[in-house]
Amino acid sequence: MKVLIVGGGGREHAIAWKCSRSPKVDKLFAAPGNAGIAEVAECVDISVMDAEKLVAFAKKEAIDLAIIGPDDPLVAGVADCFIENGIRTFGPEKKAAIIEGSKAFSKELMKKYKIPSAASETFSDPESALKYLETANMPIVLKADGLALGKGVLICNTLEEAKSGVKTLMLDRQFGKAGDTIVIEEFLTGREVSVLCFCDGKTIKPMTSAQDHKRAKDGDQGLNTGGMGTFSPSPFYTKEIDDYCKKHIYQPTIDAMHAEGRDFKGILFCGLMLTEDGPKVLEYNARFGDPEAQVVIPRMKNDMIDVMEACIDGRLEEIDLAFEENAAVCVVLVSYEKGFVIHGLENFRDKDGYYVFHAGTKKTEQGVVTNGGRVLGVTAKGADLFEARANAYKATEWINFDNKYLRHDIGKAIDEQ
Ligand code: AMP
Ligand code: GLY
């Protein structure tokens, strides 16, 4: 079959790598893809948001399955355009992707269906938001309702900070209309875990767990980023917690979406906080996490095409999701400048259990160069988290480019188990 992957980040490289190993796939395309994806797929220069061109390309190539990776096109309804044109598509329709696209929507859903989450209120005018803050406990969390590149969440320690946060989001409109409505919610403490689940509209099956490292600098300092590294599984996400989440979070969420006439088919990413009062939902995403995908997908035993097709056809119940009994760690290499030649990519060729997933890279006459932000995700497996972490950090040494930056404490939490 012919498969088209929409996206060009590390997540889509992990998806493309996995699809390339499926005996069912004859030809793989990616739009726009990147220099790494180009090794397993033919990349076509179409933006992830250009639904018209994407669909025209898919029709011309008689694509059998389209997989949509990133949040922006899903929230904008790109999956709907594929589906309306008769193309089998993995990824939720717009009416379901709203679970990520609007935090006000997802908080209302959780309240209505009693899914454990932080207590919250939603505001569309700054006056009432400011008034509410006067009586609220600190720290407190402000969230822009809409998509804001993972940066629309402000954790405020004092009333002054919170007031200035309301100003940033609602008056200065730092994230444009994404901040016209905000959610103000209770600050939760505990360990964070990301659980990505396959969904077919009625059945939901969680994959192995992962933990992200969102802050830019060691010791969880600096600004929030898309994610600087991950490990999988999370040793804190026990069988008991998994059972609890299946009963009180995952299935109730998919049932709630069904009851609302918004059947969710695709990946539901549950960002959880394991609090003293049990697991609570911090956020939902409507897609694979990035870089969670880079540690979860390499450990997946199933042919991912089989699982995705089962989701599309409403047959997920028949699938036994299986993951290797090992661990994986991904360390993200970052560059704040573009155009530096990347050396050492060849060191990963034919090395079992080591992967280099491309994100911000570009192929030029000089070779593959940095193209801004998160450049590469270096993933390694190991028998356990300790071995995987040692392997991943060893492998980060195989890659060199000017001003290479990485966090040195990915997976530090495993020392605290
Ligand atoms: P989100 O985009 O909603 O996942 O938020 C980004 C990050 O902000 C999360 O990964 C958490 O680290 C933090 N966060 C979000 N909501 C809360 C909350 N209610 N309490 C504490 N931290 C939070
Ligand atoms: N790594 C977090 C996310 O993909 O949203």
Side-chain angles (χ1 to χ4, degrees), residues 6 47-52 54-55 66-68 70-85 87 89 91-94 97:
V6 175
S47 150
V48 299
M49 298 302 280
D50 194 338
E52 207 173 305
L54 289 169
V55 167
I67 302 169
I68 302 178
D71 42 355
D72 283 328
L74 288 167
V75 168
V78 170
D80 306 46
C81 296
F82 277 94
I83 295 165
E84 281 155 18
N85 281 278
I87 301 158
T89 303
E93 291 171 79
K94 183 177 180 173

mmCIF file of all heavy atoms in Angstrom, residues 6 47-52 54-55 66-68 70-85 87 89 91-94 97:
data_model
loop_
_atom_site.group_PDB
_atom_site.id
_atom_site.type_symbol
_atom_site.label_atom_id
_atom_site.label_comp_id
_atom_site.label_asym_id
_atom_site.label_seq_id
_atom_site.Cartn_x
_atom_site.Cartn_y
_atom_site.Cartn_z
ATOM 1 N N VAL A 6 1.807 13.172 7.005
ATOM 2 C CA VAL A 6 1.788 14.632 6.986
ATOM 3 C C VAL A 6 2.547 15.130 8.220
ATOM 4 O O VAL A 6 2.174 14.801 9.356
ATOM 5 C CB VAL A 6 0.336 15.159 6.987
ATOM 6 C CG1 VAL A 6 0.310 16.676 7.094
ATOM 7 C CG2 VAL A 6 -0.398 14.688 5.729
ATOM 8 N N SER A 47 2.984 22.148 2.518
ATOM 9 C CA SER A 47 2.814 22.512 3.923
ATOM 10 C C SER A 47 1.753 21.626 4.581
ATOM 11 O O SER A 47 0.772 21.234 3.941
ATOM 12 C CB SER A 47 2.391 23.988 3.998
ATOM 13 O OG SER A 47 1.590 24.190 5.133
ATOM 14 N N VAL A 48 1.927 21.366 5.875
ATOM 15 C CA VAL A 48 0.959 20.531 6.606
ATOM 16 C C VAL A 48 -0.422 21.182 6.669
ATOM 17 O O VAL A 48 -1.413 20.508 6.931
ATOM 18 C CB VAL A 48 1.426 20.214 8.056
ATOM 19 C CG1 VAL A 48 2.738 19.454 8.041
ATOM 20 C CG2 VAL A 48 1.538 21.475 8.896
ATOM 21 N N MET A 49 -0.483 22.499 6.446
ATOM 22 C CA MET A 49 -1.754 23.212 6.546
ATOM 23 C C MET A 49 -2.459 23.368 5.188
ATOM 24 O O MET A 49 -3.575 23.861 5.131
ATOM 25 C CB MET A 49 -1.532 24.603 7.150
ATOM 26 C CG MET A 49 -0.985 24.582 8.561
ATOM 27 S SD MET A 49 -2.061 23.683 9.695
ATOM 28 C CE MET A 49 -3.303 24.943 10.004
ATOM 29 N N ASP A 50 -1.778 22.970 4.117
ATOM 30 C CA ASP A 50 -2.353 23.173 2.790
ATOM 31 C C ASP A 50 -3.197 21.960 2.386
ATOM 32 O O ASP A 50 -2.787 21.110 1.583
ATOM 33 C CB ASP A 50 -1.230 23.428 1.773
ATOM 34 C CG ASP A 50 -1.764 23.980 0.474
ATOM 35 O OD1 ASP A 50 -2.968 23.788 0.194
ATOM 36 O OD2 ASP A 50 -0.974 24.594 -0.278
ATOM 37 N N ALA A 51 -4.404 21.905 2.975
ATOM 38 C CA ALA A 51 -5.266 20.729 2.802
ATOM 39 C C ALA A 51 -5.539 20.451 1.324
ATOM 40 O O ALA A 51 -5.527 19.301 0.883
ATOM 41 C CB ALA A 51 -6.573 20.943 3.548
ATOM 42 N N GLU A 52 -5.753 21.522 0.566
ATOM 43 C CA GLU A 52 -6.119 21.349 -0.835
ATOM 44 C C GLU A 52 -5.014 20.631 -1.612
ATOM 45 O O GLU A 52 -5.256 19.645 -2.315
ATOM 46 C CB GLU A 52 -6.365 22.733 -1.434
ATOM 47 C CG GLU A 52 -7.330 22.739 -2.585
ATOM 48 C CD GLU A 52 -7.629 24.172 -2.991
ATOM 49 O OE1 GLU A 52 -8.045 24.977 -2.123
ATOM 50 O OE2 GLU A 52 -7.401 24.483 -4.171
ATOM 51 N N LEU A 54 -2.522 18.899 -0.319
ATOM 52 C CA LEU A 54 -2.265 17.565 0.249
ATOM 53 C C LEU A 54 -3.240 16.551 -0.341
ATOM 54 O O LEU A 54 -2.849 15.460 -0.753
ATOM 55 C CB LEU A 54 -2.410 17.590 1.778
ATOM 56 C CG LEU A 54 -1.319 18.316 2.558
ATOM 57 C CD1 LEU A 54 -1.727 18.482 4.026
ATOM 58 C CD2 LEU A 54 0.014 17.576 2.473
ATOM 59 N N VAL A 55 -4.513 16.939 -0.383
ATOM 60 C CA VAL A 55 -5.532 16.029 -0.900
ATOM 61 C C VAL A 55 -5.305 15.766 -2.395
ATOM 62 O O VAL A 55 -5.386 14.619 -2.862
ATOM 63 C CB VAL A 55 -6.951 16.577 -0.625
ATOM 64 C CG1 VAL A 55 -8.002 15.811 -1.417
ATOM 65 C CG2 VAL A 55 -7.264 16.522 0.861
ATOM 66 N N ALA A 66 -3.498 7.941 4.851
ATOM 67 C CA ALA A 66 -2.835 9.207 5.223
ATOM 68 C C ALA A 66 -2.743 9.247 6.742
ATOM 69 O O ALA A 66 -3.721 8.922 7.436
ATOM 70 C CB ALA A 66 -3.637 10.396 4.711
ATOM 71 N N ILE A 67 -1.568 9.615 7.245
ATOM 72 C CA ILE A 67 -1.363 9.711 8.699
ATOM 73 C C ILE A 67 -1.005 11.164 8.995
ATOM 74 O O ILE A 67 -0.031 11.683 8.446
ATOM 75 C CB ILE A 67 -0.204 8.792 9.152
ATOM 76 C CG1 ILE A 67 -0.485 7.340 8.767
ATOM 77 C CG2 ILE A 67 0.044 8.934 10.659
ATOM 78 C CD1 ILE A 67 0.716 6.409 8.935
ATOM 79 N N ILE A 68 -1.798 11.799 9.854
ATOM 80 C CA ILE A 68 -1.535 13.219 10.123
ATOM 81 C C ILE A 68 -0.880 13.348 11.492
ATOM 82 O O ILE A 68 -1.468 12.978 12.506
ATOM 83 C CB ILE A 68 -2.835 14.036 10.010
ATOM 84 C CG1 ILE A 68 -3.391 13.808 8.595
ATOM 85 C CG2 ILE A 68 -2.581 15.514 10.277
ATOM 86 C CD1 ILE A 68 -4.667 14.478 8.301
ATOM 87 N N PRO A 70 0.978 16.300 13.205
ATOM 88 C CA PRO A 70 0.966 17.452 14.119
ATOM 89 C C PRO A 70 -0.424 17.953 14.520
ATOM 90 O O PRO A 70 -1.424 17.656 13.867
ATOM 91 C CB PRO A 70 1.687 18.555 13.320
ATOM 92 C CG PRO A 70 2.173 17.925 12.065
ATOM 93 C CD PRO A 70 1.349 16.708 11.835
ATOM 94 N N ASP A 71 -0.447 18.744 15.580
ATOM 95 C CA ASP A 71 -1.699 19.287 16.113
ATOM 96 C C ASP A 71 -2.351 20.333 15.199
ATOM 97 O O ASP A 71 -3.568 20.305 15.009
ATOM 98 C CB ASP A 71 -1.494 19.876 17.520
ATOM 99 C CG ASP A 71 -0.210 20.678 17.646
ATOM 100 O OD1 ASP A 71 0.569 20.703 16.675
ATOM 101 O OD2 ASP A 71 0.041 21.266 18.711
ATOM 102 N N ASP A 72 -1.540 21.238 14.638
ATOM 103 C CA ASP A 72 -2.139 22.349 13.876
ATOM 104 C C ASP A 72 -3.076 21.872 12.760
ATOM 105 O O ASP A 72 -4.229 22.310 12.701
ATOM 106 C CB ASP A 72 -1.050 23.260 13.283
ATOM 107 C CG ASP A 72 -0.453 24.165 14.342
ATOM 108 O OD1 ASP A 72 -1.191 24.535 15.273
ATOM 109 O OD2 ASP A 72 0.746 24.485 14.244
ATOM 110 N N PRO A 73 -2.615 20.980 11.874
ATOM 111 C CA PRO A 73 -3.541 20.544 10.819
ATOM 112 C C PRO A 73 -4.736 19.764 11.371
ATOM 113 O O PRO A 73 -5.846 19.887 10.831
ATOM 114 C CB PRO A 73 -2.677 19.654 9.909
ATOM 115 C CG PRO A 73 -1.448 19.340 10.671
ATOM 116 C CD PRO A 73 -1.254 20.443 11.667
ATOM 117 N N LEU A 74 -4.551 19.003 12.441
ATOM 118 C CA LEU A 74 -5.678 18.236 12.990
ATOM 119 C C LEU A 74 -6.734 19.180 13.530
ATOM 120 O O LEU A 74 -7.927 19.039 13.244
ATOM 121 C CB LEU A 74 -5.192 17.281 14.092
ATOM 122 C CG LEU A 74 -4.387 16.088 13.572
ATOM 123 C CD1 LEU A 74 -3.676 15.377 14.723
ATOM 124 C CD2 LEU A 74 -5.273 15.107 12.809
ATOM 125 N N VAL A 75 -6.281 20.181 14.290
ATOM 126 C CA VAL A 75 -7.230 21.132 14.884
ATOM 127 C C VAL A 75 -7.906 21.961 13.783
ATOM 128 O O VAL A 75 -9.068 22.341 13.890
ATOM 129 C CB VAL A 75 -6.508 22.005 15.939
ATOM 130 C CG1 VAL A 75 -7.361 23.185 16.379
ATOM 131 C CG2 VAL A 75 -6.113 21.145 17.140
ATOM 132 N N ALA A 76 -7.184 22.197 12.690
ATOM 133 C CA ALA A 76 -7.753 22.993 11.593
ATOM 134 C C ALA A 76 -8.668 22.169 10.683
ATOM 135 O O ALA A 76 -9.304 22.719 9.788
ATOM 136 C CB ALA A 76 -6.620 23.612 10.767
ATOM 137 N N GLY A 77 -8.704 20.856 10.877
ATOM 138 C CA GLY A 77 -9.634 20.042 10.076
ATOM 139 C C GLY A 77 -9.041 19.439 8.815
ATOM 140 O O GLY A 77 -9.777 19.084 7.889
ATOM 141 N N VAL A 78 -7.722 19.282 8.768
ATOM 142 C CA VAL A 78 -7.118 18.694 7.566
ATOM 143 C C VAL A 78 -7.544 17.227 7.401
ATOM 144 O O VAL A 78 -7.771 16.761 6.276
ATOM 145 C CB VAL A 78 -5.572 18.866 7.586
ATOM 146 C CG1 VAL A 78 -4.909 18.061 6.486
ATOM 147 C CG2 VAL A 78 -5.219 20.350 7.443
ATOM 148 N N ALA A 79 -7.708 16.508 8.520
ATOM 149 C CA ALA A 79 -8.165 15.107 8.413
ATOM 150 C C ALA A 79 -9.536 15.057 7.750
ATOM 151 O O ALA A 79 -9.807 14.184 6.914
ATOM 152 C CB ALA A 79 -8.224 14.454 9.799
ATOM 153 N N ASP A 80 -10.404 16.015 8.086
ATOM 154 C CA ASP A 80 -11.754 16.055 7.501
ATOM 155 C C ASP A 80 -11.671 16.149 5.978
ATOM 156 O O ASP A 80 -12.445 15.504 5.266
ATOM 157 C CB ASP A 80 -12.557 17.266 8.027
ATOM 158 C CG ASP A 80 -12.614 17.319 9.546
ATOM 159 O OD1 ASP A 80 -11.561 17.135 10.185
ATOM 160 O OD2 ASP A 80 -13.708 17.531 10.091
ATOM 161 N N CYS A 81 -10.723 16.979 5.484
ATOM 162 C CA CYS A 81 -10.607 17.153 4.025
ATOM 163 C C CYS A 81 -10.207 15.837 3.364
ATOM 164 O O CYS A 81 -10.732 15.492 2.305
ATOM 165 C CB CYS A 81 -9.564 18.220 3.693
ATOM 166 S SG CYS A 81 -10.041 19.822 4.302
ATOM 167 N N PHE A 82 -9.279 15.115 3.976
ATOM 168 C CA PHE A 82 -8.898 13.807 3.427
ATOM 169 C C PHE A 82 -10.109 12.868 3.420
ATOM 170 O O PHE A 82 -10.406 12.230 2.420
ATOM 171 C CB PHE A 82 -7.779 13.180 4.273
ATOM 172 C CG PHE A 82 -6.398 13.673 3.914
ATOM 173 C CD1 PHE A 82 -5.820 14.734 4.586
ATOM 174 C CD2 PHE A 82 -5.671 13.049 2.910
ATOM 175 C CE1 PHE A 82 -4.550 15.174 4.266
ATOM 176 C CE2 PHE A 82 -4.401 13.477 2.582
ATOM 177 C CZ PHE A 82 -3.836 14.548 3.258
ATOM 178 N N ILE A 83 -10.792 12.810 4.563
ATOM 179 C CA ILE A 83 -11.902 11.861 4.706
ATOM 180 C C ILE A 83 -13.024 12.184 3.714
ATOM 181 O O ILE A 83 -13.550 11.295 3.043
ATOM 182 C CB ILE A 83 -12.416 11.846 6.174
ATOM 183 C CG1 ILE A 83 -11.301 11.297 7.105
ATOM 184 C CG2 ILE A 83 -13.694 11.005 6.314
ATOM 185 C CD1 ILE A 83 -11.524 11.554 8.584
ATOM 186 N N GLU A 84 -13.342 13.490 3.597
ATOM 187 C CA GLU A 84 -14.397 13.904 2.651
ATOM 188 C C GLU A 84 -14.056 13.500 1.219
ATOM 189 O O GLU A 84 -14.936 13.325 0.381
ATOM 190 C CB GLU A 84 -14.581 15.438 2.698
ATOM 191 C CG GLU A 84 -15.398 15.889 3.893
ATOM 192 C CD GLU A 84 -15.089 17.332 4.281
ATOM 193 O OE1 GLU A 84 -14.518 18.091 3.459
ATOM 194 O OE2 GLU A 84 -15.410 17.695 5.438
ATOM 195 N N ASN A 85 -12.762 13.378 0.947
ATOM 196 C CA ASN A 85 -12.346 12.992 -0.399
ATOM 197 C C ASN A 85 -12.111 11.489 -0.527
ATOM 198 O O ASN A 85 -11.464 11.027 -1.464
ATOM 199 C CB ASN A 85 -11.094 13.770 -0.801
ATOM 200 C CG ASN A 85 -11.453 15.178 -1.243
ATOM 201 O OD1 ASN A 85 -11.843 15.390 -2.384
ATOM 202 N ND2 ASN A 85 -11.384 16.120 -0.308
ATOM 203 N N ILE A 87 -10.323 9.423 1.295
ATOM 204 C CA ILE A 87 -8.989 8.872 1.600
ATOM 205 C C ILE A 87 -8.974 8.364 3.039
ATOM 206 O O ILE A 87 -9.356 9.089 3.967
ATOM 207 C CB ILE A 87 -7.903 9.962 1.388
ATOM 208 C CG1 ILE A 87 -7.955 10.447 -0.062
ATOM 209 C CG2 ILE A 87 -6.512 9.415 1.747
ATOM 210 C CD1 ILE A 87 -7.370 11.813 -0.279
ATOM 211 N N THR A 89 -7.849 7.807 6.542
ATOM 212 C CA THR A 89 -7.009 8.751 7.268
ATOM 213 C C THR A 89 -6.894 8.379 8.729
ATOM 214 O O THR A 89 -7.908 8.102 9.391
ATOM 215 C CB THR A 89 -7.626 10.169 7.152
ATOM 216 O OG1 THR A 89 -7.743 10.475 5.765
ATOM 217 C CG2 THR A 89 -6.783 11.225 7.823
ATOM 218 N N GLY A 91 -6.105 9.911 12.191
ATOM 219 C CA GLY A 91 -6.030 11.222 12.843
ATOM 220 C C GLY A 91 -7.450 11.686 13.057
ATOM 221 O O GLY A 91 -8.316 11.436 12.203
ATOM 222 N N PRO A 92 -7.744 12.334 14.187
ATOM 223 C CA PRO A 92 -9.118 12.736 14.485
ATOM 224 C C PRO A 92 -9.626 13.851 13.572
ATOM 225 O O PRO A 92 -8.850 14.676 13.095
ATOM 226 C CB PRO A 92 -9.031 13.238 15.929
ATOM 227 C CG PRO A 92 -7.603 13.660 16.096
ATOM 228 C CD PRO A 92 -6.798 12.727 15.239
ATOM 229 N N GLU A 93 -10.936 13.839 13.373
ATOM 230 C CA GLU A 93 -11.577 14.948 12.662
ATOM 231 C C GLU A 93 -11.543 16.182 13.562
ATOM 232 O O GLU A 93 -11.372 16.074 14.780
ATOM 233 C CB GLU A 93 -13.035 14.603 12.356
ATOM 234 C CG GLU A 93 -13.196 13.502 11.331
ATOM 235 C CD GLU A 93 -14.652 13.083 11.247
ATOM 236 O OE1 GLU A 93 -15.433 13.804 10.593
ATOM 237 O OE2 GLU A 93 -15.015 12.050 11.833
ATOM 238 N N LYS A 94 -11.786 17.334 12.942
ATOM 239 C CA LYS A 94 -11.755 18.614 13.655
ATOM 240 C C LYS A 94 -12.651 18.599 14.905
ATOM 241 O O LYS A 94 -12.268 19.074 15.973
ATOM 242 C CB LYS A 94 -12.222 19.699 12.686
ATOM 243 C CG LYS A 94 -12.175 21.086 13.231
ATOM 244 C CD LYS A 94 -12.591 22.083 12.159
ATOM 245 C CE LYS A 94 -12.548 23.481 12.730
ATOM 246 N NZ LYS A 94 -12.773 24.498 11.708
ATOM 247 N N ALA A 97 -10.649 16.731 17.423
ATOM 248 C CA ALA A 97 -9.344 17.328 17.748
ATOM 249 C C ALA A 97 -9.505 18.554 18.655
ATOM 250 O O ALA A 97 -8.538 19.022 19.256
ATOM 251 C CB ALA A 97 -8.601 17.705 16.463
#
